[in-house]
Amino acid sequence: MYVIRLPDGTLRVPHSVLTGSAKGTREPGEGPGVIAQGYVEIGPGDPDYDRLLPESITEQEMEDRRRAWRDGDADLLRAFEEYKADIEGGG
């Protein structure tokens, strides 16, 4: 899971990142409300914002990564199918 930087500067953060913070200041259910399965949104006034900002990526960067994974999966599947055909063909 990634820290996503939204266009308005808000960070969408995996809830586990906040509950496992080095400061240990957050407990599950405290702070901002959960907006989706395991994510919360925090803004510049949040104590964890400055720590998480450098590792954040934009939504476009996240989509680019997903696209690269899908492309990589297609290459891997093609190589596997070629290997499988060789094995089944006695090669």
Side-chain angles (χ1 to χ4, degrees), residues 54-87:
E55 69 185 70
S56 66
I57 61 174
T58 65
E59 290 176 301
Q60 181 60 49
E61 290 168 327
M62 185 69 216
E63 182 54 38
D64 292 345
R65 288 180 185 198
R66 285 185 186 127
R67 188 175 308 106
W69 293 333
R70 285 191 299 265
D71 293 346
D73 287 348
D75 293 341
L76 181 60
L77 178 59
R78 187 173 27 263
F80 173 74
E81 293 296 338
E82 290 170 3
Y83 169 77
K84 186 176 160 185
D86 286 346
I87 295 296

Side-chain angles (χ1 to χ4, degrees), residues 4 8 14 19 35 38 44 49 55-56 58 85 91:
I4 307 296
D8 67 357
T19 59
I35 60 167
Y49 186 87
E55 69 185 70
S56 66
T58 65

Side-chain angles (χ1 to χ4, degrees), residues 18-52:
L18 295 176
T19 59
S21 76
K23 293 182 249 174
T25 58
R26 293 185 188 264
E27 294 295 325
E30 285 186 4
V34 175
I35 60 167
Q37 300 221 353
Y39 279 92
V40 295
E41 286 185 1
I42 64 171
D46 189 279
D48 291 309
Y49 186 87
D50 289 337
R51 176 176 65 89
L52 297 170

